[in-house]
Amino acid sequence: MEQAHPYVKHAYLEELLPPKRLLFLVNPKAGARAQRRIAEALEAHLDHRQFVYTVWQTERPGHATELAHKAREEGYDIIVSVGGDGSAQEVAAALLHTNTIMGVLPAGSGNGLAMHLGYGRHLERAIRLLNTAEVKTIDCGLVNGRPFVNISGIGYDGVVAERMKNSPRRGFWPYLFHSVFGGLAYRPVHYMVEVDGRRWEGDFFVVSVANGPMYGYHFQIAPDARLDDGLFSVVMFRNVPRWRYFMAIPSSLNGRLYEERFVLHFKAKEVKVTCTPPTFAHADGESLGRGEHFQFEIVPQALKILVPTRS
Ligand SMILES: [Mg+2]
């Protein structure tokens, strides 16, 4: 019998496979110059034999979710959020438990998810990494029923998100400014935190519930967080003098935050938080406003996502 040649057959088939349909959802808040740069970078760096692509602009908050639903119905294979964690969250909300694959390109003020996945901060390089990326399935978090992909938090975190929402400028320096002055002004509130049935009570500066480990800019709030372990990493800062938080910034950048004595951390599937008085919260850097009760649930293996192949 004639010998089959799987290698030859495979290479031949690859030539015949139609290219994947890829949609980029771009937030115009990035600015006209950034948008032109994105268009040029896609032309120059995307592998056009593998992908045919379209770019759509989002026009308002929540629009990326609507557009992602529409694109899924139109049969796009991959929908790439071009922006920060907030944009990724909006796209993810439309793709949970579907076969449509999400991609992320870093172009926001907080690119924690893209950074953690290994896309880095440079758009051109991130596009090249998309060409050889592989599909993984990750968990997603819910805060009061609303999906988030990276980090949600209550207290100090929420205040910074609220200040950023009202800030006309984005990027690192406004973020740093609001982090510092938000931190100096913020007074911890009283919390009751139930972590998988265990209860903690006290005054905390921040209560973070993390699916991924970092905000943008390498700040790691939850160095042990994994996107696919079916668990949250819950991180709480006890109320200590502010300078101790500032002193801990290097540990946060080095992934050693848990060595600080004011940090409490747990792994959990379910978290319930009550705070008095009501305080600010965020999901993926988007302010949720003030609230008193927050319920977090992990949704395991909810989202297919493109991840750079490690060489
Ligand atoms: Mg996890």
Side-chain angles (χ1 to χ4, degrees):
M1 213 175 120
E2 205 177 329
Q3 179 77 41
H5 292 284
Y7 174 73
V8 173
K9 195 173 158 200
H10 177 72
Y12 177 64
L13 268 179
E14 285 226 319
E15 288 294 307
L16 289 183
L17 275 179
K20 293 259 185 280
R21 290 182 69 202
L22 211 150
L23 174 70
F24 292 92
L25 284 178
V26 180
N27 185 336
K29 253 195 291 187
R33 231 179 74 211
Q35 284 183 63
R36 209 168 39 243
R37 190 179 144 221
I38 290 164
E40 284 169 8
L42 288 176
E43 262 318 291
H45 298 284
L46 194 71
D47 180 352
H48 301 289
R49 287 166 308 175
Q50 274 195 77
F51 304 117
V52 281
Y53 76 96
T54 317
V55 178
W56 289 356
Q57 310 281 342
T58 62
E59 283 158 15
R60 55 182 182 274
H63 197 204
T65 308
E66 286 169 39
L67 292 180
H69 274 298
K70 185 166 172 255
R72 197 162 59 77
E73 281 159 22
E74 289 185 13
Y76 279 92
D77 303 294
I78 301 164
I79 303 176
V80 182
S81 142
V82 186
D85 290 342
S87 312
Q89 168 195 102
E90 287 200 16
V91 174
L95 305 185
L96 297 183
H97 303 298
T98 71
N99 283 322
T100 311
I101 300 159
M102 182 164 112
V104 286
L105 283 181
S109 17
N111 303 313
L113 184 65
M115 290 289 289
H116 171 59
L117 291 176
Y119 285 104
R121 227 187 311 226
H122 294 105
L123 188 69
E124 287 78 7
R125 180 170 172 266
I127 293 170
R128 288 197 298 274
L129 288 170
L130 267 188
N131 292 330
T132 53
E134 56 189 349
V135 181
K136 295 250 166 90
T137 309
I138 63 168
D139 311 329
C140 190
L142 295 177
V143 49
N144 294 347
R146 170 189 168 138
F148 65 95
V149 285
N150 193 27
I151 298 169
S152 177
I154 308 162
Y156 165 65
D157 256 24
V159 170
V160 176
E162 179 71 16
R163 291 176 73 125
M164 280 303 284
K165 185 176 114 183
N166 299 319
S167 155
R169 302 184 51 192
R170 319 283 287 178
F172 179 75
W173 295 108
Y175 180 74
L176 185 70
F177 175 87
H178 290 300
S179 300
V180 171
F181 287 94
L184 291 172
Y186 186 67
R187 296 283 161 265
V189 299
H190 192 77
Y191 285 88
M192 186 119 81
V193 182
E194 262 184 71
V195 182
D196 282 343
R198 283 158 69 206
R199 184 177 283 195
W200 296 82
E201 205 176 334
D203 292 352
F204 296 105
F205 187 67
V206 66
V207 174
S208 269
V209 180
N211 191 34
M214 63 174 86
Y215 302 111
Y217 313 112
H218 287 293
F219 285 105
Q220 293 187 57
I221 180 84
D224 67 340
R226 295 294 169 265
L227 291 166
D228 58 359
D229 63 355
L231 296 165
F232 286 126
S233 292
V234 184
V235 184
M236 317 201 291
F237 286 12
R238 266 197 285 261
N239 186 15
V240 295
R242 293 297 171 279
W243 61 266
R244 287 190 54 192
Y245 303 136
F246 285 110
M247 295 291 284
I249 289 173
S251 333
S252 158
L253 293 171
N254 294 329
R256 301 167 77 112
L257 190 66
Y258 291 176
E259 291 171 17
E260 300 292 335
R261 297 239 304 275
F262 61 80
V263 175
L264 295 175
H265 62 97
F266 318 91
K267 289 255 186 179
K269 283 192 164 85
E270 237 187 80
V271 187
K272 279 185 201 163
V273 179
T274 303
C275 45
T276 17
T279 191
F280 286 104
H282 78 98
D284 291 323
E286 302 292 315
S287 176
L288 302 176
R290 271 201 183 90
E292 193 172 2
H293 300 286
F294 299 92
Q295 182 150 1
F296 299 88
E297 282 165 78
I298 191 101
V299 190
Q301 304 282 296
L303 183 67
K304 292 200 164 72
I305 191 165
L306 283 176
V307 176
T309 40
R310 315 262 169 200
S311 52

